[in-house]
Amino acid sequence: MKIEPKFFESGAVTAISGEFGPMGELAVIKLLCAIRDSGYYLEWSVQRKMMMLRMLPGVL
């Protein structure tokens, strides 16, 4: 996975950052890492959602 130097200036990340701030950017990074670790495919489930929420302090 190659991250471009202007990753945080891309349209999708800028939109998420505008709505959710730094916590949104952190969520994007953690989600991309989880997808990469699972082999570029991640099944979204209630359990996966709860695991992601635990990794993002202050979301709940």
Side-chain angles (χ1 to χ4, degrees):
M1 178 174 169
K2 182 179 177 185
I3 304 241
E4 296 295 325
K6 294 186 177 187
F7 173 76
F8 290 102
E9 296 172 18
S10 70
V13 178
T14 301
I16 290 170
S17 180
E19 186 167 347
F20 300 105
M23 191 59 66
E25 293 177 353
L26 179 61
V28 168
I29 293 169
K30 288 192 178 266
L31 185 56
L32 287 175
C33 288
I35 292 169
R36 171 68 166 81
D37 285 345
S38 67
Y40 293 102
Y41 175 80
L42 183 68
E43 182 178 341
W44 193 251
S45 64
V46 174
Q47 181 180 5
R48 174 74 64 187
K49 179 177 72 172
M50 292 301 155
M51 288 171 57
M52 293 294 292
L53 286 173
R54 285 189 54 99
M55 292 191 301
L56 297 166
V59 171
L60 288 178

